Amino acid sequence: MRAYIMKNKVVLTIALTFFMLGSTTNTLAEDTPSATTKTETTSTEKVSKEAPDVAKKSEQEKAPEPKKVKVMTKPIEKTVYDFSGVNSLRGNNGLKEMALPTKSKQLPADRAPIERNYFQQPPLVPHRVREYQITINNNKCLACHSWKTYQKSGATKISQTHFEDREGNAQSTVAARRYFCNQCHVPQVDAKPLVENEFKPVDDLK
Amino acid sequence: MFARTKRFLSKRSVISVVIMGFITGVIFWGGFNTALEITNTEEFCISCHEMKENVYVEYRQTIHYQNRTGVRATCPDCHVPKEWTHKMIRKIEASREVFHKILGTIDTPKKFRDYRLTMAKSEWRRMKKADSRECRNCHEYGSMDYSMQSRRASPQHIAGFKEGKTCIDCHKGIAHKMPDTKALTPEERKEFNLN
């Protein structure tokens, strides 16, 4: 094998150049979405016994998998699928590819208080709450919104109703059913509703 | 005594003794430093299950593990000082931790939970005493642009630094879950700036 390569060094080099040239032009040409499933392997260097043949064939159709001797670069596979207009959330990418990152909705760090839409709506959180721990030991929200701290921090004070258990008995601490603030109070991203909402609050609340 | 030393020195020339001392010094110092470096990696910190199953899991959810800038703060970044003397002192203190590892002081989740406040307290005290030196290795208030901080952060920072507060006074539980602080005395609550 080694001797063979040494002997045909020139031929192999030319073949390899052609092969790479061929696959590059192929990638460039493949831009229009095709109706059928098409798989292409680009920039793979496969040196094989019938290398000159591969160079010729790869320009048109896939050659039968040649015996790999040396792979210099990782093969980049690009598959384009056509689902006739029905696409998954990942877009029309094959399973082997990474989906393009979606445009994520940004949570603003701080914003003005968000108006309420209806009577007794839990107010929405006008700031980021990432990593705010609400555990058995610690309630980060209450570090600012508790009666002890709200004045110093300039936050809205926790409602007195939150100290009542479900029978209406007053408790000395926040009632268990109100402890997990983010069950009702959540931050908002600036997202368009998926379904149009025609809800209107009653006039007296406007 | 003196004569014997003199004889010894003349037998093997002074130079060769000095060179030999130098070489052994280099080898020992190198080995010592390598050992220090190995014990200063995240892999070492989480090589025991006590750390891996408790604090490490929690830390993985936080901004110091993964963030938009891709800068990670690892365990030693926050828990081991960078400067040599402080680092040595912390390393010597760590022998106590090895001792408790052997005793199995925190080898179950329950034991860890029960002992957590004690550990947190000692870490809070250490950080407060050093003016949160390890935080300031990466975050320096002199370099903070208050106008770029969130509306909740900038007024607190301006007022806090004027009062002489340090990072750990306000930023507790940033890398792990907070311990149960109910057992703290009022004095301790004041010391740790907890309300």
Side-chain angles (χ1 to χ4, degrees), chain B:
Chain B
M1 176 67 200
F2 184 68
R4 231 200 282 159
T5 317
K6 210 170 160 192
R7 226 179 312 132
F8 175 80
L9 284 184
S10 58
K11 229 191 258 164
R12 290 146 219 252
S13 78
V14 178
I15 293 176
S16 75
V17 170
V18 168
I19 288 176
M20 263 159 57
F22 183 75
I23 290 172
T24 35
V26 166
I27 291 171
F28 272 92
W29 185 243
F32 179 63
N33 261 348
T34 311
L36 270 190
E37 284 313 308
I38 291 171
T39 55
N40 230 19
T41 58
E42 188 171 283
E43 291 85 68
F44 177 79
C45 297
I46 58 168
S47 62
C48 71
H49 74 100
E50 285 95 336
M51 293 298 123
K52 191 168 185 177
E53 283 155 25
N54 297 299
V55 275
Y56 177 64
V57 189
E58 295 163 4
Y59 150 75
R60 291 205 10 180
Q61 319 275 330
T62 71
I63 193 158
H64 285 105
Y65 182 76
Q66 201 168 46
N67 56 56
R68 73 204 156 95
T69 42
V71 184
R72 179 177 294 179
T74 59
C75 327
D77 287 331
C78 288
H79 290 295
V80 187
K82 289 259 181 303
E83 294 86 340
W84 199 82
T85 23
H86 299 303
K87 188 166 162 177
M88 284 308 125
I89 294 169
R90 184 69 191 84
K91 289 280 175 194
I92 292 162
E93 279 172 4
S95 53
R96 203 173 43 115
E97 282 145 40
V98 175
F99 177 65
H100 280 288
K101 162 79 192 161
I102 296 163
L103 283 187
T105 308
I106 50 168
D107 63 359
T108 68
K110 176 162 190 324
K111 281 190 195 169
F112 189 90
R113 234 180 299 134
D114 292 345
Y115 200 61
R116 182 161 215 170
L117 183 61
T118 315
M119 292 188 288
K121 266 183 353 196
S122 84
E123 198 56 15
W124 290 334
R125 284 216 176 92
R126 186 186 69 78
M127 286 195 180
K128 195 165 163 70
K129 216 167 87 193
D131 189 14
S132 314
R133 191 196 311 114
E134 283 67 59
C135 312
R136 290 185 297 105
N137 282 340
C138 292
H139 306 267
E140 184 58 78
Y141 40 73
S143 319
M144 279 184 182
D145 182 348
Y146 296 130
S147 68
M148 284 172 83
Q149 289 184 345
S150 70
R151 213 173 56 200
R152 280 157 304 136
S154 61
Q156 291 262 14
H157 283 156
I158 294 169
F161 297 142
K162 213 179 259 171
E163 281 173 40
K165 288 219 176 86
T166 183
C167 318
I168 199 66
D169 284 329
C170 302
H171 294 286
K172 293 188 184 61
I174 47 155
H176 321 291
K177 294 252 155 69
M178 278 288 274
D180 186 357
T181 54
K182 279 196 254 340
L184 289 177
T185 61
E187 294 81 56
E188 280 176 328
R189 295 197 88 81
K190 207 152 177 214
E191 178 191 347
F192 298 129
N193 195 36
L194 286 162
N195 42 56

